[in-house]
């Protein structure tokens, strides 16, 4: 459906829930489990890099997470 597009600013692939038809093909396609399907919302959920400033990186107490491009 073309519902997943690249955000050129952050480098994240973003799901447009207005275009998504909830088929779950993207969930099946990701071999890393990087996309999960929200049954209540009827749309896939994935990392959006928090708009380019990842909260998980900021919160990691050991610095084990890094954002690399
Ligand atoms: S569920 Fe995934 S593959 Fe299906 S339309 Fe939505 S974004 Fe595209
Ligand atoms: S906290 Fe980390 S994993 Fe979650 S959306 Fe933000 S960048 Fe992605």
């Amino acid at each position: 459906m073309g519902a997943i597009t690249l955000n050129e600013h952050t480098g994240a692939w973003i799901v447009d829930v207005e275009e998504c038809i909830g088929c779950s093909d993207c969930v099946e396609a990701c071999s890393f489990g990087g996309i999960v399907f929200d049954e209540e919302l009827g749309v896939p959920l994935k990392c959006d890099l928090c708009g380019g400033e990842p909260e998980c990186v900021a919160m990691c107490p050991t610095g084990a997470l890094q954002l690399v491009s």
Side-chain angles (χ1 to χ4, degrees):
M1 300 307 295
I4 301 178
T5 57
L6 179 65
N7 181 311
E8 301 281 356
H9 175 64
T10 65
W13 290 89
I14 303 298
V15 177
D16 182 342
V17 297
E18 299 297 324
E19 297 295 328
C20 176
I21 60 171
C23 69
S24 287
D25 283 0
C26 54
V27 177
E28 296 297 322
C30 182
S31 55
F32 299 103
I35 310 179
V36 296
F37 197 78
D38 187 308
E39 296 292 345
E40 285 189 24
L41 295 176
V43 295
L45 302 177
K46 70 173 295 296
C47 174
D48 64 359
L49 293 180
C50 295
E53 296 186 17
E55 289 294 330
C56 51
V57 173
M59 294 297 292
C60 179
T62 65
L65 287 174
Q66 297 179 34
L67 178 62
V68 296
S69 55

